[in-house]
Amino acid sequence: MHRRLLVPLIALVLALTTVPHPAAADTGFPSVGRNWGAPGPYATAVDVGAITTLYYPRDIAQSPRRHPVIIWGNGTFAFPVVYRELLLHWAGHGFIVAAANTPQSNLGISMLAGIDLLANRDADPGSIFHNRVDLSRIGASGHSQGGAAAIVVGDDSRVDTVLPIQPGPLANVNAVDGPMFALAGQYDSIVWPTLVKAFYNDADHIPAIYGEVRGADHFTVVGDPGPFAAPTTAWFRFQLMGDEEARGEFFGAGCRICSDTRTWSDVRRNPLALQVPGATP
């Protein structure tokens, strides 16, 4: 009971007084303006391992900076290759994506193993990832069962933000410590929007946003991610890179997704999300 009273107060103070991460100009990542859905500035590569598949900027060994991490969980009976286009899209925008190879990701164990793998690669002088992984900036995402897993791993202190896409029901959002952007599909008949709204409604201790993608069903994100590519990229660029161009997509009175009825059939922001400052004019 005390935690549920204390955490919202702390989150409110932080939202009013701090910016989650430095601006993109300070971190050195190339600006993409607002072209979140367009290919990013980085060429990409894939490394398929036994437990984790990595999607990452191809020339990361020559990069002058550390790159944030996104850990990924697949839907039931699915593998990372099913979501290849979305994961490569994120890598093209500068993220290292560690996708769990398991088709049963709900416990999140294999997703967290991706963090451990990258920590080892970052520490290995012989690895292309040596001193190139930003382990202080980690997001979690996934689809369906993997969306639930993204919520499950949100209680790990290393995970800064979660972005569950059409998440299954087996998760407890009360354990998540960072901001959440929960995505539903307007015509999803497998994970109904009401189920995703339930996670959003329960997330009263963190800044939380609910976005319902107009016209989307449960498999719209598979293959070509279509309308899911731009908003997910913007979310992670703000939360993990401090890209100030992306702030206004979600926060402040001019919240752009809030007025974009062409992409969204429903957008909701909870009181803590409403307290996060918007873009500077």
Side-chain angles (χ1 to χ4, degrees):
M1 177 64 72
H2 292 296
R3 180 184 183 278
R4 291 182 64 83
L5 292 174
L6 181 59
V7 173
L9 178 60
I10 294 174
L12 177 60
V13 172
L14 290 175
L16 289 169
T17 59
T18 66
V19 174
H21 288 300
D26 296 329
T27 58
F29 289 98
S31 171
V32 296
R34 297 178 185 173
N35 296 320
W36 321 119
Y42 296 92
T44 58
V46 182
D47 180 358
V48 181
I51 298 174
T52 306
T53 297
L54 299 176
Y55 300 81
Y56 58 94
R58 185 178 63 197
D59 297 327
I60 195 167
Q62 286 75 50
S63 175
R65 60 189 62 86
R66 291 179 177 269
H67 292 254
V69 174
I70 301 171
I71 56 176
W72 172 265
N74 309 302
T76 304
F77 302 131
F79 295 91
V81 67
V82 172
Y83 306 99
R84 174 184 173 89
E85 296 306 315
L86 177 62
L87 307 184
L88 283 173
H89 184 79
W90 291 341
H93 280 266
F95 299 98
I96 304 169
V97 183
N101 289 338
T102 178
Q104 300 289 340
S105 57
N106 210 135
L107 295 178
I109 296 171
S110 295
M111 290 175 67
L112 294 175
I115 301 177
D116 298 331
L117 170 67
L118 286 171
N120 290 333
R121 296 276 184 96
D122 183 70
D124 179 4
S127 169
I128 62 170
F129 295 97
H130 180 53
N131 289 339
R132 295 297 180 268
V133 185
D134 191 343
L135 295 165
S136 70
R137 297 166 185 251
I138 299 176
S141 187
H143 175 237
S144 198
Q145 182 181 154
I151 295 173
V152 169
V153 301
D155 71 347
D156 190 291
S157 61
R158 297 171 293 180
V159 175
D160 299 302
T161 183
V162 298
L163 195 161
I165 300 173
Q166 297 159 301
L170 301 180
N172 179 10
V173 76
N174 290 321
V176 175
D177 292 324
M180 179 179 74
F181 184 26
L183 296 182
Q186 182 183 16
Y187 298 134
D188 190 340
S189 60
I190 296 176
V191 176
W192 298 341
T194 53
L195 299 177
V196 185
K197 286 176 189 173
F199 281 124
Y200 164 78
N201 290 333
D202 287 345
D204 55 2
H205 62 295
I206 56 174
I209 299 177
Y210 169 81
E212 186 177 289
V213 179
R214 183 174 296 281
D217 62 25
H218 194 65
F219 300 104
T220 299
V221 72
V222 173
D224 180 353
F228 288 90
T232 58
T233 303
W235 179 263
F236 283 131
R237 282 194 63 109
F238 175 61
Q239 295 292 340
L240 302 180
M241 289 181 178
D243 187 338
E244 286 295 314
E245 283 285 354
R247 177 193 287 273
E249 293 292 308
F250 310 99
F251 301 109
C255 158
R256 289 189 286 272
I257 68 167
C258 301
S259 58
D260 180 8
T261 56
R262 184 174 181 179
T263 303
W264 306 96
S265 51
D266 191 2
V267 172
R268 306 182 184 196
R269 299 185 293 169
N270 74 359
L272 292 179
L274 290 172
Q275 295 298 325
V276 177
T280 302

